[in-house]
Amino acid sequence: MPAIAVKPRVFKNYLLKIGADSYEAHVSSVALTPSSSIQTWKGGTPAAVFTDATTPTWVADLAYAQDWETPNSLSIYLLNNEGATKEVEFSPLGSGPKFTVTVIITPGAIGGAIDEFGTATVSLGVQGKPVYTAGAVTP
């Protein structure tokens, strides 16, 4: 069995587009996160045990800076487009490999603690699953 090479990276530069707009400067974290569970059915004998996994559902988890002054900031975009479905393109390396998903827009929190940057997190529901597109990273 061949040894598969690995190339881990520190995430330093995202690409994040929602529709035609770029929001990588607004986010400090982006993660496409699956959720599934294992189901087991047991019958009346020790041999009658069946286990299977449910189909994963996905969310796009964003952590971002609240900006209520800049027209079309991510904060305002999420608030104004609540319930809309939008295509999102995400490259965790800023270029090269990317993932495309269709999300359901949900607004994030408004406000926060005194003497801290206003930040928020939001989980956007994904329709289907991410589509991976290979590509070379440009330095």
Side-chain angles (χ1 to χ4, degrees), residues 76-86 104-108 124:
I76 294 170
Y77 184 91
L78 294 173
L79 184 66
N80 289 343
N81 289 280
E82 178 181 1
T85 56
K86 300 289 181 175
I104 302 165
I105 301 295
T106 303
L124 307 177

Side-chain angles (χ1 to χ4, degrees), residues 41-56:
W41 181 85
K42 293 182 178 184
T45 68
V49 177
F50 302 90
T51 302
D52 201 352
T54 63
T55 302

